[in-house]
Amino acid sequence: MTRRGQVDQGTTDQRLLDSAGSADWVHTDPWRVLRIQAEFVEGFGALAELGPAIAVFGSARTPVDHPDYELAEQVGRRLVEEGFAVITGGGPGAMEAANKGASEAGGASVGLGIELPFEAGLNQWVDMGINFRYFFARKTMFVKYSQGFVVLPGGLGTFDELFEALTLVQTQKVTSFPVVLVGTAYWQGLVTWLRDTVFAEGKISAADLDMFTVTDDLEEAVQLMVRARAGAIETPEAERPE
């Protein structure tokens, strides 16, 4: 309701149909809200019928001839053989390798890309892809449509996804969500710091150190995902913790 000097002399329809004036409105926060909404709608619509899926993270800078590339390819292939779709960030390096393994194994190879100034498009092995403007919309898709994370050696983007997942598990925002770090030599320094510094100073609990598994065994990583899926199927929805 508006009265007196607060009454708008124009109408909403008039402003909608008036094509004159600046285009700055497309950069305003209300317009961004609609773009954000569109990204969620597009993501939910595209992935709703994907089925059981695992997200695989790793460095975009992993060379094709690096052992981690071959490892990521094997991870993608084995997950598909166990009935999972594979979701990555859609970029090069380890992400490309996981998509390649999944695609060549005949499974669903999904890439959730992000608008960045230094990376161009989705890799050639993505069979279903979505490009996002906003990191938080993209992250929601990873967590909502993945039943677990397999984390290969990576950099800041990989760390970001890893710690967000651990935070969601710690705060019980997600349940039955295994996180596996593959590559003990790479991850050992981080694990040691978490145990000997963060835990020792009381910043996390002993249970928090059990939220993830570190392994060099590809089969162990895959079977952890399989067992988690079986547990999720066997646990009635009403009995799961909120």
Side-chain angles (χ1 to χ4, degrees):
M1 183 190 72
T2 56
R3 289 176 177 163
R4 292 174 282 278
Q6 297 300 316
V7 176
D8 195 333
Q9 298 305 308
T11 67
T12 302
D13 280 340
Q14 179 188 26
R15 289 189 290 274
L16 172 65
L17 298 173
D18 189 354
S19 60
S22 170
D24 289 345
W25 59 275
V26 300
H27 303 295
T28 62
D29 285 344
W31 184 248
R32 289 191 182 101
V33 169
L34 296 179
R35 283 181 169 173
I36 291 166
Q37 176 179 288
E39 292 207 343
F40 280 107
V41 170
E42 182 179 4
F44 292 157
L47 301 174
E49 298 180 358
L50 182 61
I54 301 298
V56 181
F57 297 101
S59 175
R61 304 181 185 187
T62 302
V64 175
D65 58 354
H66 194 281
D68 288 344
Y69 190 98
E70 182 180 355
L71 175 62
E73 196 173 334
Q74 293 174 358
V75 168
R77 182 178 300 108
R78 284 292 296 120
L79 288 171
V80 165
E81 289 171 353
E82 293 292 345
F84 291 105
V86 172
I87 306 176
T88 79
M95 294 175 282
E96 174 185 290
N99 284 132
K100 180 182 179 182
S103 181
E104 289 187 336
S109 176
V110 180
L112 305 182
I114 186 69
E115 180 183 76
L116 294 174
F118 47 80
E119 289 183 15
L122 299 171
N123 70 68
Q124 63 177 318
W125 297 102
V126 169
D127 298 324
M128 177 192 299
I130 308 171
N131 269 314
F132 292 86
R133 286 189 178 92
Y134 301 100
F135 265 116
F136 54 85
R138 178 181 182 243
K139 288 180 175 182
T140 299
M141 301 306 151
F142 276 123
V143 175
K144 180 171 176 59
Y145 293 104
S146 300
Q147 295 189 337
F149 283 3
V150 174
V151 188
L152 302 171
L156 295 179
T158 302
F159 303 156
D160 179 44
E161 298 293 353
L162 167 62
F163 280 103
E164 179 168 47
L166 294 179
T167 301
L168 292 172
V169 174
Q170 182 197 54
T171 56
Q172 297 185 22
K173 295 296 185 181
V174 292
T175 55
S176 301
F177 198 88
V179 177
V180 181
L181 311 183
V182 181
T184 55
Y186 187 84
W187 295 110
Q188 191 55 55
L190 174 63
V191 175
T192 299
W193 174 72
L194 288 173
R195 183 186 63 239
D196 295 349
T197 301
V198 185
F199 170 66
E201 293 189 8
K203 304 298 191 295
I204 59 175
S205 68
D208 294 334
L209 295 172
D210 295 329
M211 294 189 301
F212 58 89
T213 300
V214 185
T215 184
D216 287 317
D217 187 343
L218 167 62
E219 284 305 312
E220 181 183 7
V222 172
Q223 291 308 312
L224 282 169
M225 301 300 156
V226 172
R227 290 198 294 273
R229 177 180 59 190
I233 293 172
E234 293 168 2
T235 303
E237 194 71 32
E239 295 181 10
R240 297 182 188 174
E242 293 296 329

